[in-house]
Amino acid sequence: MAPFHGVALLLLGIGYLLHAEPFYGERGIAFLHLNDDTFGKEEKSQRSTKKTYFSKDTPQKLTVAIGHAAVLLCRIKNLGNRTVSWIRKRDLHILTSMLVTYTSDARFTIVGNPETDDWNLRIDYVQPRDAGIYECQVNTEPKIYRAVTLKVLDIQARITGPQELYIRKGSTISLTCIIELQDLPPSNVTWYHAGAVIDFDGPRGGVSLETEKGKRGTTSKLLITRAQLNDSGNYTCASSKVTPASVMVHVLNGEHPAAMQHGGTGDVNRRLVLLVLIVLIDTMFR
């Protein structure tokens, strides 16, 4: 029996090391009963030590026009029970930690989705002061972070010519809007009359749009033929990426003493030239 006792003692020692429970079978032969979580704990430990890292498929530079929303992307793999925070680099202000916001500025919110590993920072109504570097941080040891640079553009749409136009009834209203987009791609332009979107297929007819998109921006030309009195009012050129521009149009039955878009300026200039010639001729023959 001595050999059996030796084996039993050996198994007891191994069982102690493995947190296993020994039991004895027939003839006093010792066996080990391993606890269900003996290796489960080791497996869980291995899972918990998986390396946390940032996905590189999200951009680290973002350009947004003033007044629009900016979403700074941060995708983290194997986050586990660690904490994600967004930091504004210029003043080291903690903006968010997980789903909690630590700023009184309600424009900042966190858009977190653990199922997709996304922890994105959203800034509504972006202002010039929001430009700069933001860091998405994870409290690993050592700490890891991913920087995102936000560039804010102050882009103004521009309607060529004076801010008030006087148009003779029956003539053509011609308005040209120029949008220099700088680092942003060309955008669609929408025209409004008195706050309502202009209907190019409406019953009025005679309304058309010419748009040219290039590397430097977008040019949009609005043409309204056979101008009527009810075509008077505010005309606005707007785009999703820029500050809109407006002009006031007055459609008149008769001539206006100030410059008109069609004929007014030329008539004034001709009258001035004629007056100068009369004065010169009168001076020569005195």
Side-chain angles (χ1 to χ4, degrees), residues 87-268:
I87 312 295
R88 185 167 55 205
K89 189 68 179 293
R90 63 177 166 85
D91 56 3
L92 299 180
H93 185 90
I94 300 175
L95 300 171
T96 65
S97 180
M98 300 305 283
L99 296 176
V100 181
T101 303
Y102 290 98
T103 174
S104 58
D105 192 336
R107 298 179 304 121
F108 290 84
T109 53
I110 189 71
V111 185
N113 187 347
E115 294 183 0
T116 59
D117 305 319
D118 290 330
W119 296 91
N120 304 328
L121 178 67
R122 180 184 175 94
I123 310 174
D124 290 315
Y125 308 107
V126 168
Q127 301 300 313
R129 67 177 183 274
D130 297 323
I133 299 174
Y134 295 79
E135 287 185 356
C136 179
Q137 298 184 353
V138 182
N139 65 337
T140 53
E141 186 59 44
K143 178 179 65 180
I144 60 174
Y145 65 90
R146 183 172 175 84
V148 181
T149 301
L150 175 63
K151 183 177 181 180
V152 180
L153 298 180
D154 184 5
I155 304 176
Q156 301 277 340
R158 176 171 57 89
I159 297 178
T160 59
Q163 292 185 339
E164 286 202 53
L165 292 176
Y166 297 90
I167 309 296
R168 186 186 296 113
K169 181 181 177 181
S171 59
T172 298
I173 301 173
S174 177
L175 303 175
T176 301
C177 177
I178 299 175
I179 301 175
E180 296 178 355
L181 292 176
Q182 302 176 39
D183 294 342
L184 295 175
S187 61
N188 295 323
V189 176
T190 303
W191 283 90
Y192 297 84
H193 175 221
V197 177
I198 294 177
D199 184 4
F200 296 96
D201 300 319
R204 184 206 183 282
V207 182
S208 62
L209 187 66
E210 299 175 1
T211 302
E212 181 181 348
K213 296 182 179 181
K215 293 182 179 180
R216 299 187 60 182
T218 301
T219 300
S220 178
K221 187 174 184 179
L222 175 67
L223 296 172
I224 303 175
T225 59
R226 304 183 305 277
Q228 302 299 314
L229 296 180
N230 57 6
D231 290 324
S232 298
N234 179 279
Y235 286 81
T236 300
C237 161
S239 174
S240 61
K241 301 181 178 70
V242 303
T243 302
S246 297
V247 64
M248 182 63 70
V249 174
H250 305 274
V251 179
L252 305 174
N253 272 319
E255 191 79 13
H256 191 274
M260 297 183 67
Q261 190 182 63
H262 294 278
T265 303
D267 290 343
V268 171

